[in-house]
Amino acid sequence: MERTQTIREAIREELLRGAATSRELSERVSIREKDVAGHLEHLERSMRARGERLVIEPASCIACGYAFVRRGRLTRPGSCPECGSTRIDPPAFRIEAA
Ligand SMILES: [Zn+2]
């Protein structure tokens, strides 16, 4: 539990410093990339209480520019519904004062 809190605090500090993707966060905080979304979800709830907001720059398709704005937001999509490309620019996250 304590370790979880430490991880989330470290993620928060990274995001206060500037935008980062799941992969960047996983490298900087030393967790698995697939665990980042879960931490962000919890973090988002505690941030609201602090008057902060998680800003998500949506994933987009490198091939055609399609933006995944309505999608599950926190994870990288597998392929583009418009052109089928799997070259996807992942979502990036940062924290803003609400
Ligand atoms: Zn596309």
Side-chain angles (χ1 to χ4, degrees):
M1 191 59 201
E2 225 168 78
R3 161 101 176 122
T4 303
Q5 288 307 327
T6 308
I7 290 169
R8 288 186 190 148
E9 192 50 39
I11 291 174
R12 180 173 169 270
E13 277 167 24
E14 286 297 331
L15 294 179
L16 283 169
R17 215 166 285 155
T21 63
S22 289
R23 177 170 300 174
E24 288 165 344
L25 289 172
S26 74
E27 284 165 4
R28 292 177 200 168
V29 183
S30 303
I31 56 174
R32 290 176 299 181
E33 186 176 354
K34 70 186 187 73
D35 291 337
V36 171
H39 287 301
L40 286 175
E41 240 169 64
H42 286 270
L43 200 53
E44 192 172 22
R45 270 176 246 151
S46 61
M47 281 186 315
R48 246 175 256 149
R50 297 194 215 213
E52 294 168 350
R53 179 167 89 84
L54 181 67
V55 179
I56 300 163
E57 295 161 11
S60 61
C61 173
I62 293 169
C64 78
Y66 176 83
F68 294 78
V69 285
R70 283 157 63 200
R71 194 179 182 273
R73 314 175 318 144
L74 296 178
T75 55
R76 178 203 298 256
S79 65
C80 175
E82 288 293 312
C83 74
S85 171
T86 53
R87 290 163 58 227
I88 308 295
D89 204 10
F93 313 102
R94 62 191 161 83
I95 293 175
E96 230 175 50

PDB file of all heavy atoms in Angstrom, residues 61-66 68 80-85 87-88, ligand 1:
ATOM      1  N   CYS A  61      -3.454   9.003 -34.830  1.00  0.00           N
ATOM      2  CA  CYS A  61      -2.886   8.126 -35.861  1.00  0.00           C
ATOM      3  C   CYS A  61      -1.802   8.896 -36.617  1.00  0.00           C
ATOM      4  O   CYS A  61      -2.053   9.995 -37.122  1.00  0.00           O
ATOM      5  CB  CYS A  61      -3.994   7.685 -36.810  1.00  0.00           C
ATOM      6  SG  CYS A  61      -3.374   6.756 -38.226  1.00  0.00           S
ATOM      7  N   ILE A  62      -0.625   8.323 -36.686  1.00  0.00           N
ATOM      8  CA  ILE A  62       0.487   8.989 -37.370  1.00  0.00           C
ATOM      9  C   ILE A  62       0.213   9.028 -38.876  1.00  0.00           C
ATOM     10  O   ILE A  62       0.543   9.999 -39.556  1.00  0.00           O
ATOM     11  CB  ILE A  62       1.820   8.266 -37.063  1.00  0.00           C
ATOM     12  CG1 ILE A  62       2.159   8.441 -35.575  1.00  0.00           C
ATOM     13  CG2 ILE A  62       2.962   8.808 -37.940  1.00  0.00           C
ATOM     14  CD1 ILE A  62       3.296   7.562 -35.094  1.00  0.00           C
ATOM     15  N   ALA A  63      -0.453   7.994 -39.389  1.00  0.00           N
ATOM     16  CA  ALA A  63      -0.676   7.894 -40.842  1.00  0.00           C
ATOM     17  C   ALA A  63      -1.719   8.902 -41.339  1.00  0.00           C
ATOM     18  O   ALA A  63      -1.499   9.584 -42.330  1.00  0.00           O
ATOM     19  CB  ALA A  63      -1.091   6.470 -41.207  1.00  0.00           C
ATOM     20  N   CYS A  64      -2.869   9.014 -40.653  1.00  0.00           N
ATOM     21  CA  CYS A  64      -3.935   9.867 -41.195  1.00  0.00           C
ATOM     22  C   CYS A  64      -4.335  11.012 -40.263  1.00  0.00           C
ATOM     23  O   CYS A  64      -5.144  11.853 -40.637  1.00  0.00           O
ATOM     24  CB  CYS A  64      -5.169   9.022 -41.549  1.00  0.00           C
ATOM     25  SG  CYS A  64      -6.169   8.553 -40.120  1.00  0.00           S
ATOM     26  N   GLY A  65      -3.818  11.044 -39.054  1.00  0.00           N
ATOM     27  CA  GLY A  65      -4.106  12.153 -38.158  1.00  0.00           C
ATOM     28  C   GLY A  65      -5.354  11.971 -37.306  1.00  0.00           C
ATOM     29  O   GLY A  65      -5.698  12.843 -36.507  1.00  0.00           O
ATOM     30  N   TYR A  66      -6.034  10.840 -37.463  1.00  0.00           N
ATOM     31  CA  TYR A  66      -7.228  10.585 -36.657  1.00  0.00           C
ATOM     32  C   TYR A  66      -6.909  10.709 -35.162  1.00  0.00           C
ATOM     33  O   TYR A  66      -5.934  10.153 -34.685  1.00  0.00           O
ATOM     34  CB  TYR A  66      -7.764   9.180 -36.968  1.00  0.00           C
ATOM     35  CG  TYR A  66      -8.949   8.780 -36.129  1.00  0.00           C
ATOM     36  CD1 TYR A  66     -10.237   9.185 -36.480  1.00  0.00           C
ATOM     37  CD2 TYR A  66      -8.785   7.996 -34.990  1.00  0.00           C
ATOM     38  CE1 TYR A  66     -11.327   8.824 -35.704  1.00  0.00           C
ATOM     39  CE2 TYR A  66      -9.873   7.626 -34.209  1.00  0.00           C
ATOM     40  CZ  TYR A  66     -11.142   8.046 -34.571  1.00  0.00           C
ATOM     41  OH  TYR A  66     -12.213   7.687 -33.798  1.00  0.00           O
ATOM     42  N   PHE A  68      -7.996  10.022 -31.239  1.00  0.00           N
ATOM     43  CA  PHE A  68      -8.815   9.080 -30.464  1.00  0.00           C
ATOM     44  C   PHE A  68      -9.436   9.784 -29.261  1.00  0.00           C
ATOM     45  O   PHE A  68      -9.228   9.388 -28.118  1.00  0.00           O
ATOM     46  CB  PHE A  68      -7.953   7.912 -29.985  1.00  0.00           C
ATOM     47  CG  PHE A  68      -7.439   7.037 -31.095  1.00  0.00           C
ATOM     48  CD1 PHE A  68      -6.366   7.432 -31.865  1.00  0.00           C
ATOM     49  CD2 PHE A  68      -8.041   5.812 -31.355  1.00  0.00           C
ATOM     50  CE1 PHE A  68      -5.894   6.628 -32.887  1.00  0.00           C
ATOM     51  CE2 PHE A  68      -7.570   4.994 -32.374  1.00  0.00           C
ATOM     52  CZ  PHE A  68      -6.505   5.412 -33.140  1.00  0.00           C
ATOM     53  N   CYS A  80      -5.897   2.215 -35.935  1.00  0.00           N
ATOM     54  CA  CYS A  80      -6.750   3.338 -36.297  1.00  0.00           C
ATOM     55  C   CYS A  80      -8.045   2.848 -36.944  1.00  0.00           C
ATOM     56  O   CYS A  80      -8.005   2.051 -37.879  1.00  0.00           O
ATOM     57  CB  CYS A  80      -5.992   4.230 -37.279  1.00  0.00           C
ATOM     58  SG  CYS A  80      -6.993   5.583 -37.922  1.00  0.00           S
ATOM     59  N   PRO A  81      -9.215   3.309 -36.450  1.00  0.00           N
ATOM     60  CA  PRO A  81     -10.488   2.883 -37.049  1.00  0.00           C
ATOM     61  C   PRO A  81     -10.691   3.492 -38.437  1.00  0.00           C
ATOM     62  O   PRO A  81     -11.502   2.993 -39.223  1.00  0.00           O
ATOM     63  CB  PRO A  81     -11.540   3.392 -36.064  1.00  0.00           C
ATOM     64  CG  PRO A  81     -10.895   4.536 -35.376  1.00  0.00           C
ATOM     65  CD  PRO A  81      -9.415   4.229 -35.330  1.00  0.00           C
ATOM     66  N   GLU A  82      -9.991   4.550 -38.763  1.00  0.00           N
ATOM     67  CA  GLU A  82     -10.148   5.211 -40.059  1.00  0.00           C
ATOM     68  C   GLU A  82      -9.350   4.523 -41.148  1.00  0.00           C
ATOM     69  O   GLU A  82      -9.858   4.246 -42.220  1.00  0.00           O
ATOM     70  CB  GLU A  82      -9.705   6.680 -39.959  1.00  0.00           C
ATOM     71  CG  GLU A  82     -10.643   7.567 -39.180  1.00  0.00           C
ATOM     72  CD  GLU A  82     -11.993   7.747 -39.879  1.00  0.00           C
ATOM     73  OE1 GLU A  82     -11.986   8.046 -41.085  1.00  0.00           O
ATOM     74  OE2 GLU A  82     -13.019   7.577 -39.211  1.00  0.00           O
ATOM     75  N   CYS A  83      -8.063   4.274 -40.879  1.00  0.00           N
ATOM     76  CA  CYS A  83      -7.195   3.754 -41.939  1.00  0.00           C
ATOM     77  C   CYS A  83      -6.557   2.422 -41.586  1.00  0.00           C
ATOM     78  O   CYS A  83      -5.895   1.813 -42.419  1.00  0.00           O
ATOM     79  CB  CYS A  83      -6.107   4.788 -42.283  1.00  0.00           C
ATOM     80  SG  CYS A  83      -4.817   4.906 -41.033  1.00  0.00           S
ATOM     81  N   GLY A  84      -6.747   1.930 -40.350  1.00  0.00           N
ATOM     82  CA  GLY A  84      -6.224   0.622 -39.972  1.00  0.00           C
ATOM     83  C   GLY A  84      -4.758   0.622 -39.601  1.00  0.00           C
ATOM     84  O   GLY A  84      -4.212  -0.426 -39.235  1.00  0.00           O
ATOM     85  N   SER A  85      -4.105   1.768 -39.660  1.00  0.00           N
ATOM     86  CA  SER A  85      -2.682   1.820 -39.318  1.00  0.00           C
ATOM     87  C   SER A  85      -2.467   1.500 -37.850  1.00  0.00           C
ATOM     88  O   SER A  85      -3.299   1.813 -36.992  1.00  0.00           O
ATOM     89  CB  SER A  85      -2.133   3.218 -39.640  1.00  0.00           C
ATOM     90  OG  SER A  85      -0.816   3.341 -39.126  1.00  0.00           O
ATOM     91  N   ARG A  87       0.420   2.542 -36.492  1.00  0.00           N
ATOM     92  CA  ARG A  87       1.392   3.559 -36.060  1.00  0.00           C
ATOM     93  C   ARG A  87       0.628   4.656 -35.332  1.00  0.00           C
ATOM     94  O   ARG A  87       0.127   5.586 -35.942  1.00  0.00           O
ATOM     95  CB  ARG A  87       2.163   4.112 -37.261  1.00  0.00           C
ATOM     96  CG  ARG A  87       3.122   3.084 -37.841  1.00  0.00           C
ATOM     97  CD  ARG A  87       3.568   3.473 -39.234  1.00  0.00           C
ATOM     98  NE  ARG A  87       4.211   4.779 -39.255  1.00  0.00           N
ATOM     99  CZ  ARG A  87       3.922   5.734 -40.142  1.00  0.00           C
ATOM    100  NH1 ARG A  87       3.005   5.560 -41.056  1.00  0.00           N
ATOM    101  NH2 ARG A  87       4.566   6.885 -40.104  1.00  0.00           N
ATOM    102  N   ILE A  88       0.516   4.484 -34.024  1.00  0.00           N
ATOM    103  CA  ILE A  88      -0.306   5.373 -33.215  1.00  0.00           C
ATOM    104  C   ILE A  88       0.587   6.162 -32.258  1.00  0.00           C
ATOM    105  O   ILE A  88       1.416   5.592 -31.562  1.00  0.00           O
ATOM    106  CB  ILE A  88      -1.335   4.559 -32.381  1.00  0.00           C
ATOM    107  CG1 ILE A  88      -2.138   3.604 -33.264  1.00  0.00           C
ATOM    108  CG2 ILE A  88      -2.235   5.498 -31.581  1.00  0.00           C
ATOM    109  CD1 ILE A  88      -3.023   4.265 -34.284  1.00  0.00           C
TER     110      ILE A  88
HETATM  111 ZN    ZN B   1      -5.375   6.436 -39.382  1.00  0.00          ZN
END
